[in-house]
Amino acid sequence: MGHESNGVSNRDTPSFNFYSDRCASHMLRKKLPFLHSLLSPVSRHVGHLTGHQYDVIVVGGGHAGTEAAAAAARVGAETLLITQKIHTIGALSCNPSLGGVGKGQLVKEVDALDGLCGRAGDWAGIHFSILNRRKGPAVWGPRAQLDRQRYRDFIQSELLSTPRLTMVEGSVEELLVTEPNPEEPGHHRVTGIRLANGSHAISARSVVLTTGTFLSGSLFVGQTTSPGGRIGDAPSSAGLSHTLRERLGLRTGRLRTGTPPRIVKDSVDLSLAKLHLPDSHPTPFSFLNTHTHCKPEEQLPCYLTFTTPGVERVVRESLQLNCHIQQDTKGPRYCPSIESRVLRFPGRSHQVWLEPEGVTSDLLYPQGLSMTMPPDIQLRLIREIPPMRRAEIHTPGYGVQYDFVCPTQLSPALQVKSTQGLFLAGQINGTTGYEEAAAQGLWAGANAARSALSMPTVTLSRTESYIGVLIDDLVSRGVTEPYRMFTSRAEFRTSLRPDNADLRLTPKGFEEVGCVSSVRYQESLRVRNSLQDALTALQALFLSTSSWKKKLPSVPISETKSTLLTSREFRGRRTCPCRRTLTISLCRCRFPTKFERSWTEFDRAQ
């Protein structure tokens, strides 16, 4: 795999996904049969890296790490991605889904900045839906169920075809720390990493840590505890946590999360659950895609069921066998375990979504049943739910505890304030979720590359993006529990719609950051110019209120004044459906109607 070492940006080098969907699909299919044979030799030779100077080293191959590595390479930095297992790069560790309310906006913004997860979601999606449709389009949540294998293959294929990016398998023992540059703020400077075998030190101008749940991670099942950040994988080296705390003096904390058991699909009676169909016309995440890889008629359904009093009984009877739930470590409030739900809301019935894990997978993911009790108790619990009376568990659920760095010690560029050349992204900053990790990873990777190439770092305002809201909340307020994005966190959410992320961020990504290709940038300009032309044409259209009423009879409009109005003036004169005011923009009823949604779509079409 060849690499350019001159530091020239590859913004003018489009990946295969910038071509037509048919061409992209053909090329990815052509790549995938060779993917695993290519990945194997990537990590064979670590020794030749020892004397090599990289611009950026990214530690971790999850959602934050892959976006960070790809973004750094797009900016023009020679980048090294280090992960414990090459074949798990891009793996969906927990739920096989992407997007949602607030989270879908992050995916759209990552795509607008040329990130990977949006296009990967379009390729791997098997159930697409827009959440929150009863409200206005500003708070709609694009979401998709994913095929685990397809998603991982797409991410790995993209990274393999990215210029200036090398991947190596290994565990990082410690950071190389030296005296700081006196001309820059900070008490230390990171100049590279040392692998766990102790013999290989690799130099870099910037290092991005995206350790996820692996930083001093511990797995919990019942009363059994073992080191690790994900079942089947080892934790990151204890030396890395020691370096962050003792050598760099960073404040760290401890958080926890969990995952539900995986259920054998054929052992579940889905006829006893409520069928939930996907949207008949899937909406792609990526602004470059006109349709998804999965055809509408090939999408798979999800199923909804509920817990019973028997579930609560099993939880209470097994509390003494569950050491994870008894600890004080903070867990995710918005994605709690079933034990936490029962203890916090006794006597209630809780939703359980049965979600497919892939087109050919024989497993179901029971969303809402995260648990850490012993495996035999987990089986008892799920069999208290009617569709799963005879269910079999393929892999038991488990809990994870891990270290995180208090994010108030970071700058808005996600660089550690006290340490030159060190950037953090993902769950190490106290967040939860693929989308939050991907957003941080892209921004940290882009800024790490700019710093390494002697360019100033850049920031995003919370007035212009959900990514800006996410980062500002982290660095200014910190976290006391795993942070999840919601639309309610964004004060300017009415203008930060998922459908205009390209107009908001793609020009900035190309002109200021350098992480966007010229192909995507030109497409963004074409869309913006087309909208401006349509707006100009509509501004020239004058009709009376009675004429507007005849053309749009379903639109409530005040006819108290019969004057000539342009289309934009007409929009401001329409009557609120609640009939309290003549002008809907002045009404506070927040009445959600199909009419309101159509007008926001009309804004986009102008």
Side-chain angles (χ1 to χ4, degrees), residues 170-431:
S171 180
V172 175
E173 171 68 27
E174 62 178 348
L175 301 174
L176 303 180
V177 182
T178 62
E179 294 298 316
N181 182 346
E183 297 179 358
E184 300 177 8
H187 306 300
H188 312 276
R189 180 167 188 82
V190 169
T191 59
I193 59 92
R194 186 180 301 280
L195 296 180
N197 57 19
S199 60
H200 298 293
I202 307 174
S203 299
R205 295 181 177 88
S206 296
V207 174
V208 184
L209 293 183
T210 64
T211 52
T213 59
F214 286 82
L215 192 62
S216 297
S218 298
L219 302 179
F220 292 82
V221 180
Q223 294 180 305
T224 303
T225 304
S226 60
R230 179 173 57 206
I231 194 166
D233 293 324
S236 65
S237 172
L240 188 55
S241 293
H242 182 269
T243 301
L244 295 175
R245 283 194 302 265
E246 306 301 329
R247 185 75 188 274
L248 301 182
L250 298 179
R251 299 190 309 278
T252 62
R254 196 84 171 153
L255 292 175
R256 73 180 181 194
T257 187
T259 190
R262 308 305 193 263
I263 309 299
V264 178
K265 184 176 181 179
D266 291 341
S267 67
V268 179
D269 186 357
L270 295 175
S271 65
L272 299 179
K274 182 180 179 181
L275 179 69
H276 182 76
L277 297 174
D279 290 350
S280 57
H281 299 287
T283 303
F285 286 111
S286 178
F287 292 99
L288 294 180
N289 291 333
T290 58
H291 58 268
T292 61
H293 174 63
C294 182
K295 296 178 181 179
E297 64 274 14
E298 295 175 349
Q299 296 185 92
L300 302 181
C302 295
Y303 298 86
L304 175 63
T305 186
F306 295 88
T307 61
T308 63
V311 169
E312 181 170 345
R313 183 180 65 255
V314 172
V315 169
R316 294 189 179 279
E317 290 176 355
S318 62
L319 285 179
Q320 74 279 5
L321 302 175
N322 193 336
C323 62
H324 185 66
I325 197 68
Q326 296 173 6
Q327 299 187 14
D328 295 330
T329 307
K330 288 282 187 176
R333 188 198 318 179
Y334 304 106
C335 184
S337 65
I338 188 61
E339 297 99 326
S340 297
R341 290 186 180 194
V342 165
L343 295 177
R344 190 179 302 168
F345 305 107
R348 293 191 186 182
S349 179
H350 304 281
Q351 287 186 345
V352 178
W353 287 94
L354 302 177
E355 302 170 339
E357 295 217 338
V359 174
T360 60
S361 175
D362 60 352
L363 301 179
L364 289 175
Y365 181 91
Q367 177 73 36
L369 284 183
S370 174
M371 60 182 77
T372 58
M373 56 190 66
D376 59 322
I377 307 297
Q378 294 186 29
L379 185 61
R380 277 182 52 201
L381 185 147
I382 65 171
R383 288 184 173 179
E384 293 291 339
I385 301 173
M388 295 187 281
R389 295 293 189 193
R390 295 180 174 84
E392 296 295 336
I393 292 178
H394 179 271
T395 306
Y398 59 91
V400 186
Q401 290 189 15
Y402 56 95
D403 285 350
F404 78 102
V405 174
C406 300
T408 53
Q409 300 167 102
L410 306 180
S411 73
L414 295 181
Q415 180 176 7
V416 177
K417 295 176 184 177
S418 63
T419 306
Q420 300 167 7
L422 180 60
F423 297 76
L424 309 181
Q427 286 179 284
I428 192 174
N429 290 339
T431 61

Side-chain angles (χ1 to χ4, degrees), residues 69-215:
R74 291 199 304 273
V75 171
E78 189 170 358
T79 306
L80 175 67
L81 173 62
I82 302 177
T83 182
Q84 290 188 355
K85 293 182 179 179
I86 290 287
H87 71 272
T88 62
I89 288 177
L92 298 167
S93 301
C94 193
N95 57 315
S97 67
L98 189 70
V101 178
K103 291 172 172 283
Q105 280 83 340
L106 287 174
V107 176
K108 300 286 280 190
E109 291 183 356
V110 168
D111 179 75
L113 292 168
D114 237 353
L116 306 178
C117 64
R119 287 178 288 128
D122 291 344
W123 176 264
I126 55 177
H127 177 115
F128 290 86
S129 59
I130 302 294
L131 307 182
N132 224 21
R133 277 192 183 272
R134 289 182 297 175
K135 299 184 180 179
V139 292
W140 287 359
R143 186 182 187 274
Q145 286 297 128
L146 305 176
D147 184 299
R148 289 185 186 274
Q149 189 61 47
R150 285 183 183 178
Y151 189 89
R152 183 168 58 185
D153 286 346
F154 186 97
I155 294 294
Q156 293 178 1
S157 177
E158 277 290 288
L159 294 181
L160 281 171
S161 61
T162 300
R164 292 180 291 278
L165 177 58
T166 303
M167 294 182 286
V168 66
E169 197 170 85
S171 180
V172 175
E173 171 68 27
E174 62 178 348
L175 301 174
L176 303 180
V177 182
T178 62
E179 294 298 316
N181 182 346
E183 297 179 358
E184 300 177 8
H187 306 300
H188 312 276
R189 180 167 188 82
V190 169
T191 59
I193 59 92
R194 186 180 301 280
L195 296 180
N197 57 19
S199 60
H200 298 293
I202 307 174
S203 299
R205 295 181 177 88
S206 296
V207 174
V208 184
L209 293 183
T210 64
T211 52
T213 59
F214 286 82
L215 192 62

